[in-house]
Amino acid sequence: MGFRKYYVILAALSLAGCASSGSVVSSGERYAVNDQLSETYPLGAGDKLRVTVFNEPTLSGEFFVSGDGEVSLPLVGNVPAANKTTRDVAADYARLLADGYLRDPKVSAEVITYRPFFILGEVTTPGQYPYVSGMTVYSAVATASGFTPRAKKSRAFIRHRGEEAETEFELTPTLRVLPGDTIRIGERYF
């Protein structure tokens, strides 16, 4: 009788270990089919911008957002870019150029390389990879050479840059990755 009770308790503990520790997100903007990031994308360290000043090729070029969240632009120096949109950075640059350098400058900016994403856990080659617009968790896993045999293929844990905790998502073909995300693929137990 002691062994039977022991096995029942062991089975209950095993099943409890498989239970999710929190609620699983299965809908929302992460699941929206959208190949382009919106114009509200907040810039951050690692993003590369193409800034164009109309009729001023020496003031135009490609620039990185530095680790301290600034873009170093010709004539005006460092311009804050962290958590701003490309439209905000272009407007700031135009305003600074208009202050003694150019008359009515026309400036545009676009992201040409997004900051990388990170993937770890039960993937063959965990690490840092370049973000591609429209990327899903499935394509991120493929970039990391696929799932390991022990991967739990029904859930993914994602922590977006600046967030303290990861969120558990139902893994579907439309679950999107955003630049700067850290994705963790969990391990299955059976």
Side-chain angles (χ1 to χ4, degrees):
M1 199 68 145
F3 283 114
R4 177 180 240 165
K5 186 177 183 180
Y6 172 76
Y7 285 120
V8 169
I9 291 172
L10 183 62
L13 289 173
S14 295
L15 290 174
C18 294
S20 174
S21 59
S23 63
V24 179
V25 177
S26 60
S27 63
E29 73 176 36
R30 284 264 185 185
Y31 291 94
V33 179
N34 183 0
D35 289 343
Q36 299 296 320
L37 290 175
S38 69
E39 291 182 4
T40 60
Y41 170 70
L43 297 170
D47 288 330
K48 186 176 184 182
L49 305 176
R50 177 179 297 125
V51 179
T52 306
V53 181
F54 182 70
N55 276 342
E56 297 292 338
T58 58
L59 300 179
S60 303
E62 296 177 357
F63 308 95
F64 279 100
V65 178
S66 67
D68 59 356
E70 296 182 329
V71 179
S72 183
L73 298 170
L75 288 180
V76 300
N78 292 341
V79 175
N83 296 317
K84 291 187 173 187
T85 65
T86 52
R87 184 175 290 170
D88 295 337
V89 171
D92 289 349
Y93 191 30
R95 182 180 41 76
L96 292 167
L97 288 173
D99 189 24
Y101 296 107
L102 296 175
R103 184 181 303 159
D104 193 29
K106 304 293 185 214
V107 180
S108 67
E110 65 181 322
V111 179
I112 55 173
T113 306
Y114 293 96
R115 59 185 166 264
F117 72 92
F118 304 86
I119 188 164
L120 51 103
E122 295 300 317
V123 292
T124 305
T125 314
Q128 172 183 314
Y129 294 95
Y131 175 83
V132 178
S133 186
M135 180 170 265
T136 66
V137 173
Y138 277 140
S139 57
V141 168
T143 301
S145 301
F147 293 110
T148 65
R150 294 192 49 92
K152 185 174 184 178
K153 299 175 185 171
S154 62
R155 303 280 188 264
F157 299 87
I158 301 175
R159 184 177 60 82
H160 189 61
R161 181 188 66 93
E163 294 176 354
E164 292 192 19
E166 59 185 17
T167 303
E168 185 175 4
F169 289 92
E170 183 178 341
L171 188 52
T172 67
T174 59
L175 178 57
R176 293 186 310 146
V177 175
L178 299 175
D181 278 354
T182 298
I183 305 160
R184 181 174 62 86
I185 302 298
E187 179 180 19
R188 65 180 169 84
Y189 297 102
F190 295 102

